[in-house]
Amino acid sequence: MADFVRTLSREVLNTGPKGAETREWLVANGLGGYASGSVSGAVTRRYHGLLIAALPAPLGRVLMLSQLSDVVIDSDGHRYRLSSRDTGGDPGGGDPAGGEAEEGQTAALQEFRMEAGLPVWRFRAGGAVIEKQVVLPHGQNIVHVTYRVMEAKAPVQLRLRPVLAFRTLESAVDRPLAGAYRITATGQRYEVSAGPDLPVLNMAIEGGDFPMTLDGGIRRDVYYRVEDERGYQSRGSLWTPGYFSGEVGAGQSITFAAATEDWWRLEALPPADVLGFEAERRRRIIQNAHPTLRGGAMAELVLSADSFLFVPAGRVADQMRARAEGDEVRTVIAGYHWFTDWGRDTMIALEGLTLATGRHLEAGWILHTFGHYIRDGLIPNMFPDGKDRGLYHTADATLWFFHALHRYLGVTGDRDTLRLLLPKLREVIDFHRRGTRFGIGVDPRDGLLRQGQEGYQLTWMDAKVDDWVVTPRRGKAVEINALWHNALRLMAGWLREEDGEAAARPLEELADQARASFNARFWCPSAGHLFDVVDGEHGDDIACRPNQIFAVSLDHPVLERERWEPVVETVRKHLLTPVGLRSLAPGCRDYKAKYFGDLRARDAAYHQGTVWGWLIGPYVDAWLKLHPEDKAGGRRLLEGFLPHLDEAGIGTISEIFDAEAPFTPRGCISQAWSVAEVLRCWVKTES
């Protein structure tokens, strides 16, 4: 897998505020669970851990193993810590890793690399060189942490201290699920339990004689720097049962394994086979992708795309229903670390995550999964973690469903899926015409789609703090009506193909009405661009936002051709950055240049200038409609993301960025639609 390695040198890792502690890695397990942390080893977020297990509702994703405190003792008795104990600026000196409280210097981190998307550290500890690697077997709540002694004059002693606190992913760091832990041992098997309603954490060392010394207890005052910066509880307690200890010589390796799975699963394969099989799985993922995505940075993003596709382990009934129908359940994690699966994000990301990467079967399963959940003409906005039922407060996710299905059919020609979903899509159109939940419905006077209900945020600009909806956009939003027109045209085409012209005609007439009204109402001559919302609570909103680009970019543009160029030029001039589009133009009243601070401050900036990476996709689409021969120009619009793969989440793309240089990455370190749109457009701009 040497072709798919991203290496960070010692010089990069030791560079100021963008060093090892602010860079993060992540490995997913295909169930919604994952392992993730800072490159330095410091646990700076509540979401960091070596095993976040995906468990059936009502638990959802649960942090089981926070970290391994790992110490090397050489033949002269010198001690070297592998995981950082940097306090991250904590004036109280708390230990972010919950690490071993013993003297010793920090080993020199010589190199960090993502090898086919799997993290590997290389340390120098005195005269010894040691590599550490994390692997999650796909489809299992298991983690392997392997230590290889690459160089050593004499065997070194390794001490590995598991540090844990059973806690749901979204819980505050001071609120573990258990008040007391119990460890039991049977031979070399160790089990940590915390009550009948929680899973058992099984632990073992493979590859050497590593008995455990029990000296454990609560380790207090652990400090989570990023949680503090984000305005959340930042001090909590972790628990350790003790430490494993043994010797490893040059050329030898040992693996710490932990799991919520049964012992027979944990011990089914030796660690070398687990790594080999996972490496082969990742090689096949890359080889199945579009040819232009099989090397370099794009291959890394193909592997990142894999991390978002998952079987929702928590929704057992959903899996049983699908399998009873001869189907499979697949869905998309919207972003790591805190998102679950969101309907809007899934439909926007589907093409890049699955069609560009050759995973057509899974694309169909995703469409079937969300089709099953259509209620009152809507697909779910999102599924809360640990819940079986979705929430439906969205005006655009269902309209994106039409777009995703169209792109899927264009690649696969799967008429069976179309015929399966067509009755549900008829229902969607009917509900939108006569009105459905949250004030979503067509205004019969002009055929435009309006939406809005007090206390709800229904468009993708969906920030809300308590009862404050930051950008409510109630009324007739520009992208909602571009999507509505697109959906009507697509539906008319499918009905024409399946049932004939008479079936299609009423929808074509609705689309004609919506298009005429859109062009009459949304163009603002004084601004030279489109209104963001018309017939809103306070009239028409002239704010310059990226939502207008969809009037050009979609497969059936609602905007008249002669107005494409001024819209695209407005977006280019005021909103375009190297890493996506600003959500509001500089100079507008509510513009915020930076996204930082506590939850209220961040959400106030979330859609008020903050750059969104995924929006580069529709901008590239619109650009190529105006300049169809300039694929090289379209490709250049994507190249600003390439340096970003070395910062924030290594080998992936963040959710958002500050609105002005240096465009600091913010939000989730790895976002599905950011990755998907770059992959999709990379294919689209191939010369």
Side-chain angles (χ1 to χ4, degrees), residues 219-440:
R219 308 187 69 79
R220 296 186 182 278
D221 201 24
V222 181
Y223 175 66
Y224 299 81
R225 177 183 56 78
V226 175
E227 298 306 308
D228 193 5
E229 293 172 356
R230 288 165 54 86
Y232 294 112
Q233 173 58 247
S234 60
R235 294 185 184 277
S237 298
L238 299 175
W239 182 84
T240 175
Y243 61 88
F244 296 93
S245 182
E247 288 193 340
V248 188
Q252 297 179 327
S253 65
I254 62 98
T255 296
F256 170 87
T260 59
E261 309 288 354
D262 294 332
W263 280 107
W264 67 270
R265 290 184 184 273
L266 181 57
E267 298 174 339
L269 295 172
D273 286 356
V274 169
L275 175 59
F277 292 144
E278 181 61 16
E280 175 61 19
R281 188 185 76 84
R282 289 167 177 260
R283 186 194 67 80
R284 290 199 306 268
I285 287 170
I286 293 170
Q287 289 306 308
N288 287 336
H290 188 281
T292 197
L293 303 178
R294 293 177 187 168
M298 291 305 109
E300 296 177 72
L301 291 182
V302 168
L303 293 174
S304 178
D306 175 65
S307 71
F308 302 111
L309 302 174
F310 78 109
V311 178
R315 303 203 292 271
V316 176
D318 205 10
Q319 295 182 56
M320 294 177 65
R321 184 264 316 155
R323 289 172 182 170
E325 295 175 346
D327 213 342
E328 291 286 342
V329 176
R330 290 292 187 280
T331 185
V332 171
I333 289 277
Y336 290 100
H337 302 88
W338 47 83
F339 282 111
T340 59
D341 45 336
W342 287 60
R344 173 191 304 113
D345 301 55
T346 297
M347 296 306 136
I348 292 171
L350 183 134
E351 184 176 4
L353 296 186
T354 61
L355 302 180
T357 61
R359 304 177 73 157
H360 305 158
L361 189 61
E362 288 169 282
W365 289 340
I366 291 168
L367 292 169
H368 295 176
T369 297
F370 276 86
H372 170 74
Y373 279 104
I374 290 175
R375 301 288 186 274
D376 297 336
L378 301 173
I379 69 169
N381 184 41
M382 54 89 71
F383 290 87
D385 206 7
K387 304 292 184 183
D388 288 320
R389 299 179 183 274
L391 303 177
Y392 285 81
H393 53 295
T394 171
D396 56 347
T398 314
L399 304 177
W400 281 112
F401 187 89
F402 286 80
H403 169 84
L405 176 60
H406 172 61
R407 295 295 176 88
Y408 170 77
L409 294 173
V411 172
T412 68
D414 180 5
R415 306 301 292 186
D416 289 337
T417 289
L418 174 62
R419 290 167 187 143
L420 174 70
L421 294 174
L422 209 52
K424 296 177 181 289
L425 298 182
R426 291 178 190 268
E427 176 185 325
V428 168
I429 297 294
D430 288 343
F431 267 103
H432 280 68
R433 289 179 64 182
R434 65 176 183 260
T436 185
R437 307 184 197 179
F438 310 111
I440 301 169

Side-chain angles (χ1 to χ4, degrees), residues 445-516:
R445 296 170 297 178
D446 57 15
L448 295 175
L449 195 63
R450 56 192 173 191
Q451 55 80 32
Q453 182 172 317
E454 185 71 28
Y456 287 93
Q457 65 285 28
L458 301 180
T459 72
W460 80 273
M461 291 187 159
D462 57 359
K464 181 182 178 183
V465 184
D466 299 323
D467 293 330
W468 176 37
V469 178
V470 183
T471 50
R473 304 181 71 229
R474 291 192 287 270
K476 298 167 183 173
V478 63
E479 83 282 8
I480 299 297
N481 280 282
L483 286 163
W484 172 239
H485 172 264
N486 191 60
L488 289 171
R489 297 293 189 199
L490 293 175
M491 188 64 175
W494 296 329
L495 290 177
R496 183 178 293 109
E497 294 164 359
E498 294 296 318
D499 300 327
E501 183 62 37
R505 190 173 301 117
L507 293 186
E508 293 286 13
E509 292 172 355
L510 282 173
D512 289 342
Q513 182 190 19
R515 190 170 192 272

Side-chain angles (χ1 to χ4, degrees), residues 189-205:
R189 293 176 168 182
Y190 298 87
E191 301 179 358
V192 177
S193 57
D197 298 326
L198 296 173
V200 172
L201 181 67
N202 296 322
M203 302 184 299
I205 300 283

Side-chain angles (χ1 to χ4, degrees), residues 446 448-452 458-461 471-481 518 521-524 529-548 584:
D446 57 15
L448 295 175
L449 195 63
R450 56 192 173 191
Q451 55 80 32
L458 301 180
T459 72
W460 80 273
M461 291 187 159
T471 50
R473 304 181 71 229
R474 291 192 287 270
K476 298 167 183 173
V478 63
E479 83 282 8
I480 299 297
N481 280 282
F518 183 96
R521 291 288 291 109
F522 276 92
W523 180 251
C524 179
H529 62 73
L530 299 178
F531 286 111
D532 190 57
V533 177
V534 300
D535 296 343
E537 300 171 282
H538 307 292
D540 299 341
D541 184 359
I542 200 174
C544 181
R545 294 189 182 273
N547 306 304
Q548 61 189 303
L584 184 65

Side-chain angles (χ1 to χ4, degrees), residues 644-657:
H644 171 61
L645 302 189
D646 274 345
E647 59 183 10
I650 305 301
T652 187
I653 301 177
S654 296
E655 176 190 13
I656 52 177
F657 303 81

